[in-house]
Amino acid sequence: MKIEKILNNNVVVSRNESKQEIVVMGRGLAFQKKVGESVDTSKIEKTFVLENQGISEKLAKLLKDTSEVYLNISSKILDYAQSQLPYKLDEYLYVALTDHISFAITRHKQGIHLKNPLVWEIRKYYKPEYQVAIKAIDIIEQETGITLTEDEAAAIALHLVNSQLSGENMAAAIQITEMVNTILNIVKYHFKMELDESSINYERFLTHLRFFAIRFIRKEKLEETVDQFFYEQIKQKYSQAYACTEKIATYLDNQFHCNLTKDEEIYLTVHIHRVTNRHKLK
């Protein structure tokens, strides 16, 4: 195993037997070493594989000013997150989360506590990610002795949500959260009811909205597969839900200058009918 890149005295980039790029951590691993020399395997404490070679460049820049302790913490958090979440995490999280944790701890030591205005929405709409983030706060405390706030947990959860996007655009994750929140409010106001947030139908609706919002932000349109007759049937059968969908379409057009496809209108209409009708029956 040869050193391909030295990130700092304790972190190097190498390749495994499968020729995959790996980041290797260990105390003094690169001390008095040069690129091309062998890695002292007895000093290796942590190894993780990188599929995206550009990530090592970003880690190199980050670790010039940030302790690899935070990279190790991030690695532990992401190992746990990957075991709990149903989707593959973007490798950029190694960079984003390391940077976030380092900055959060620096702010904590300086007595600066930033309030996260999206805590309530994140806790409510992204429960799996939020639960992972709460565990992340525990991991950070175990490793550093510092207890970060719920506001920081919400920020970590957003990083996980954002992993389903490009990996670097936190603004998109915030936009998705706000979009989901607004659509849910439109449904509540249209039907003049509170939704049963403990119901399976609500969870299904929320999941649909999240992935819908992700596609919308990415500008990924569903292919038109529905025929006009079926579309008209849905409009008539679920007329109240469709009227609500029209309000949502108006909001999306005004806010994002983008129109729903007929398939998306049908998906939304059916989900809205299900979540509101089951609530009425109950």
Side-chain angles (χ1 to χ4, degrees):
M1 185 185 296
K2 303 291 185 181
I3 297 174
E4 291 196 355
K5 193 180 303 175
I6 296 173
L7 304 189
N8 64 26
N9 274 343
N10 305 314
V11 187
V12 302
V13 175
S14 184
R15 291 190 182 274
N16 60 17
E17 294 177 353
S18 302
K19 304 301 181 183
Q20 293 173 298
E21 189 174 54
I22 57 175
V23 172
V24 186
M25 300 173 61
R27 184 170 297 178
L29 198 63
F31 182 66
Q32 293 185 337
K33 291 276 189 176
K34 296 179 180 178
V35 172
E37 293 184 2
S38 297
V39 176
D40 184 348
T41 55
S42 66
K43 292 184 177 181
I44 295 176
E45 298 171 6
K46 178 75 176 178
T47 301
F48 50 96
V49 179
L50 296 178
E51 295 178 6
N52 184 343
Q53 295 188 9
I55 299 300
S56 65
E57 296 290 343
K58 293 182 173 69
L59 278 175
K61 292 178 181 178
L62 179 64
L63 292 178
K64 287 181 179 179
D65 304 305
T66 305
S67 171
E68 73 277 355
V69 168
Y70 302 123
L71 174 58
N72 188 45
I73 293 172
S74 294
S75 180
K76 290 182 178 181
I77 291 171
L78 295 179
D79 284 346
Y80 176 76
Q82 196 63 85
S83 72
Q84 301 297 309
L85 300 175
Y87 49 85
K88 189 176 185 298
L89 297 172
D90 193 296
E91 288 181 336
Y92 184 75
L93 275 173
Y94 284 117
V95 177
L97 200 54
T98 299
D99 187 44
H100 179 85
I101 292 170
S102 172
F103 187 44
I105 289 177
T106 299
R107 283 190 280 103
H108 180 88
K109 290 178 178 178
Q110 294 172 346
I112 301 171
H113 303 289
L114 300 180
K115 299 300 292 181
N116 190 328
L118 295 175
V119 169
W120 184 83
E121 285 88 351
I122 294 165
R123 186 171 59 225
K124 185 177 179 182
Y125 302 148
Y126 304 116
K127 291 179 182 178
E129 289 85 357
Y130 185 76
Q131 290 304 314
V132 169
I134 291 296
K135 177 64 175 179
I137 296 298
D138 290 339
I139 292 172
I140 292 168
E141 183 176 12
Q142 292 167 10
E143 296 293 324
T144 66
I146 292 174
T147 305
L148 297 179
T149 64
E150 184 182 31
D151 296 282
E152 296 298 344
I156 290 172
L158 262 187
H159 278 292
L160 297 172
V161 172
N162 190 49
S163 181
Q164 298 174 72
L165 298 170
S166 64
E168 299 184 42
N169 189 2
M170 179 57 71
I174 294 172
Q175 195 174 41
I176 285 167
T177 302
E178 292 174 342
M179 183 187 294
V180 169
N181 191 41
T182 301
I183 292 174
L184 283 171
N185 283 331
I186 290 172
V187 174
K188 291 176 187 177
Y189 288 130
H190 180 81
F191 286 92
K192 296 181 174 59
M193 68 165 63
E194 287 297 322
L195 302 178
D196 181 4
E197 296 176 9
S198 64
S199 71
I200 296 296
N201 285 308
Y202 180 84
E203 289 295 332
R204 286 172 180 162
F205 184 44
L206 190 57
T207 298
H208 173 75
L209 286 184
R210 288 175 59 182
F211 286 105
F212 165 77
I214 288 170
R215 289 200 315 272
F216 212 85
I217 294 299
R218 286 174 166 174
K219 302 187 185 303
E220 294 176 354
K221 285 289 185 181
L222 291 176
E223 291 183 13
E224 291 282 12
T225 58
V226 66
D227 63 70
Q228 187 64 28
F229 177 73
F230 181 63
Y231 176 71
E232 294 298 331
Q233 275 192 317
I234 293 295
K235 284 174 62 176
Q236 293 175 19
K237 187 175 183 179
Y238 305 133
S239 57
Q240 276 297 311
Y242 182 76
C244 183
T245 295
E246 287 186 305
K247 290 181 179 178
I248 293 169
T250 299
Y251 152 69
L252 294 172
D253 184 32
N254 291 339
Q255 193 71 24
F256 301 101
H257 309 293
C258 195
N259 298 319
L260 293 177
T261 64
K262 289 181 179 179
D263 290 84
E264 287 167 335
E265 287 182 10
I266 286 178
Y267 281 127
L268 273 175
T269 299
V270 171
H271 276 286
I272 290 168
H273 170 76
R274 178 183 291 173
V275 75
T276 56
N277 192 54
R278 293 290 175 88
H279 182 80
K280 288 176 185 175
L281 292 175
K282 184 177 177 182

